[in-house]
Amino acid sequence: MPLLEWLARQHPALVHFPIAACVLLPLPLGLRLWQGEAGWDRTIRYLAWVGVLGGAAAQVSGLLFARSGGLIPLQGWLPARPGLLRTHQVLGMAGFALGLLTLVGILKGTTGKARALTLASALLWAVAWGWAGHLGGAMVFPETSDAGLEP
């Protein structure tokens, strides 16, 4: 099996750990903002880096997976027609951008209002990837889906 095909097939496994990291991240970020103590900083940086680096692998594998299945043209980034896959991908890409924004906010280590904005971007990141994951599950298990969107 060629390397790109192998990587494409790893997409379902590659998405779970980064999603867990980004969903957990708002908790220590909120505690850091509320308590004002630096004790959460290592956990915050760890979760952000895991989410972003793991998310990069998930983004690449998802694109390769969709292209290898003929769902996305080789020269394109999104499926030609609207549906679950396109929404899933747009949410995944938006979440990844929010993850990068969150990581930058964390690494800058600013205080006050900027930390609140970092927390807000982390929450939006978690929502985007949570929704994308829900739609991914709806594509894999359509018989149990309540996604409300046509494939």
Side-chain angles (χ1 to χ4, degrees):
M1 175 181 308
L3 178 61
L4 288 179
E5 183 180 344
W6 179 85
L7 181 60
R9 292 178 179 269
Q10 303 314 304
H11 181 69
L14 290 172
V15 300
H16 292 95
F17 199 57
I19 288 174
C22 88
V23 167
L24 289 172
L25 180 59
L27 179 62
L29 272 171
L31 289 170
R32 172 71 165 101
L33 187 63
W34 178 52
Q35 294 176 342
E37 296 176 12
W40 290 105
D41 288 352
R42 183 177 288 180
T43 301
I44 289 167
R45 284 191 307 273
Y46 173 78
L47 290 172
W49 276 110
V50 166
V52 167
L53 294 176
Q59 293 291 309
V60 169
S61 67
L63 182 63
L64 292 173
F65 186 70
R67 283 184 177 169
S68 70
L71 301 171
I72 296 176
L74 289 178
Q75 302 304 320
W77 292 95
L78 295 170
R81 56 179 213 155
L84 286 178
L85 180 60
R86 181 187 282 180
T87 306
H88 172 77
Q89 281 190 273
V90 168
L91 287 167
M93 290 175 187
F96 186 69
L98 286 162
L100 289 173
L101 181 66
T102 301
L103 181 61
V104 168
I106 289 166
L107 295 176
K108 287 184 90 172
T110 55
T111 58
K113 194 177 199 178
R115 284 199 185 173
L117 290 173
T118 299
L119 175 59
S121 69
L123 287 167
L124 289 172
W125 179 18
V127 168
W129 273 6
W131 189 6
H134 176 72
L135 294 179
M139 288 185 287
V140 175
F141 303 107
E143 67 278 359
T144 62
S145 172
D146 62 350
L149 298 172
E150 292 297 316

